[in-house]
Amino acid sequence: MSEREAMISNNKGKIPIYCLLVSAYFFSYFFRVSASVSLPAISTEWGMSASLVGFISSLYFYAYAFMQPISGALNDRFGPLRIVSLGMLTTGIGALLFGFASNPTMLGVGRLLTGFGLAPMLSGVLVYQSHSFHRDKYSFFSGITYTLGNFGAVISVAPLAFALDEFGRRNVFVFLAFLNFALAASLIAFRRRDPVISIDGKIERKGFLDNLKNSFRKILRSRQLKLMLVLWGTSFGALMSLQGLWAVSWYQTSYGVSYGTASLWSTLISIGVMVGNF
């Protein structure tokens, strides 16, 4: 068997797990952008102010941002299959709270839990890629990861708007919670095949705080990384402000189009991001 054939054979057992992790990352984008469809409709029904709607939506981003460095260290320490599965369970609970919410507080708690739960998804996929596939394929798999992840942003606008109109907020978010719980169970079933865990079944000993310190030290010492963070933070913040919350409402207000047309236009943003990542 040639080296290439051996590599393909070895990857066959890893691809299904990779697909599960990418599916988890898909939900990261789905819930991130879903507020642009679900919250404006709820605010009209309940008479919430724009500032309250913005605050409830932002709770996802606050929790997500706070957990990013912690999630990366946890994935390195305990393996992505365990951490991502726990995140999916938390996300499912957040989705249930959001679906059954009868007041702004429950909506906010649901968004907050969703942000906490989905924070480990991207770093989990990247950790798995780095441990499972040849280093020459890291960018290749990363491109696929970001492309499929952004597909969650596509589904969470026009298709989600249609589902909410047809089935109602409660039924839709109960279904989403079920999908998250099912994905968590699938990842837990594969936990012994986590590449971060050594052959003898023991977790590779990497200090949690040491991982955090080393990561921040590398960023602070690298001019290139600091410049990339500024560029990414600026562009991503602007994109999420539009795509993640105000796009549908802004299109309706500025151009006088229907809710369905505004949702479709907002979906095109996500399609553009997908094409760029691909």
Side-chain angles (χ1 to χ4, degrees), residues 75 105 123 186 233:
N75 278 313
T105 301
S123 57
S186 300

Side-chain angles (χ1 to χ4, degrees), residues 19-258:
C19 291
L20 289 174
L21 291 171
V22 172
S23 299
Y25 183 50
F26 165 93
F27 280 107
S28 174
Y29 263 92
F30 180 92
F31 282 104
R32 186 181 306 176
V33 177
S34 65
S36 67
V37 172
S38 57
L39 282 178
I42 297 172
S43 69
T44 301
E45 179 184 348
W46 292 358
M48 294 191 299
S49 65
S51 59
L52 180 58
V53 172
F55 174 72
I56 292 173
S57 178
S58 67
L59 289 174
Y60 173 99
F61 298 100
Y62 293 144
Y64 189 90
F66 173 77
M67 284 297 296
Q68 279 305 297
I70 299 173
S71 298
L74 288 173
N75 278 313
D76 282 336
R77 178 65 176 80
F78 298 105
L81 297 188
R82 297 186 182 190
I83 300 303
V84 171
S85 62
L86 180 61
M88 295 309 294
L89 288 173
T90 306
T91 303
I93 295 172
L96 288 176
L97 286 174
F98 194 93
F100 284 93
S102 56
N103 55 67
T105 301
M106 285 185 67
L107 284 177
V109 174
R111 276 296 275 182
L112 189 70
L113 286 178
T114 303
F116 278 124
L118 291 170
M121 304 310 159
L122 176 57
S123 57
V125 183
L126 298 182
V127 168
Y128 184 83
Q129 289 174 198
S130 65
H131 283 77
S132 299
F133 306 114
H134 194 277
R135 60 184 300 176
D136 291 344
K137 294 295 183 181
Y138 184 81
S139 295
F140 169 79
F141 279 105
S142 295
I144 294 176
T145 297
Y146 280 104
T147 300
L148 295 179
N150 274 278
F151 186 60
V154 174
I155 299 298
S156 68
V157 187
L160 177 61
F162 172 80
L164 290 172
D165 287 338
E166 287 292 316
F167 307 108
R169 171 167 56 95
R170 180 172 299 182
N171 290 331
V172 170
F173 278 88
V174 166
F175 177 68
L176 290 171
F178 170 77
L179 291 179
N180 280 264
F181 292 145
L183 187 53
S186 300
L187 289 167
I188 291 173
F190 283 110
R191 68 188 183 279
R192 295 189 182 278
R193 295 170 60 180
D194 196 316
V196 176
I197 300 176
S198 59
I199 297 176
D200 61 0
K202 295 181 180 179
I203 299 171
E204 294 178 356
R205 296 299 174 186
K206 299 177 182 178
F208 174 77
L209 292 178
D210 289 338
N211 278 336
L212 283 177
K213 291 178 182 178
N214 290 335
S215 298
F216 281 112
R217 190 178 296 117
K218 288 180 179 179
I219 292 172
L220 292 175
R221 290 178 177 177
S222 172
R223 181 172 177 269
Q224 289 85 354
L225 279 176
K226 286 186 288 188
L227 290 173
M228 290 173 65
L229 284 174
V230 172
L231 177 61
W232 190 30
T234 303
S235 60
F236 194 75
L239 176 65
M240 285 298 101
S241 296
L242 175 64
Q243 182 191 31
L245 180 59
W246 297 117
V248 175
S249 299
W250 182 73
Y251 284 137
Q252 285 184 283
T253 303
S254 299
Y255 298 100
V257 297
S258 67

Side-chain angles (χ1 to χ4, degrees), residues 252-268:
Q252 285 184 283
T253 303
S254 299
Y255 298 100
V257 297
S258 67
Y259 178 73
T261 300
S263 298
L264 177 61
W265 288 3
S266 182
T267 302
L268 294 176

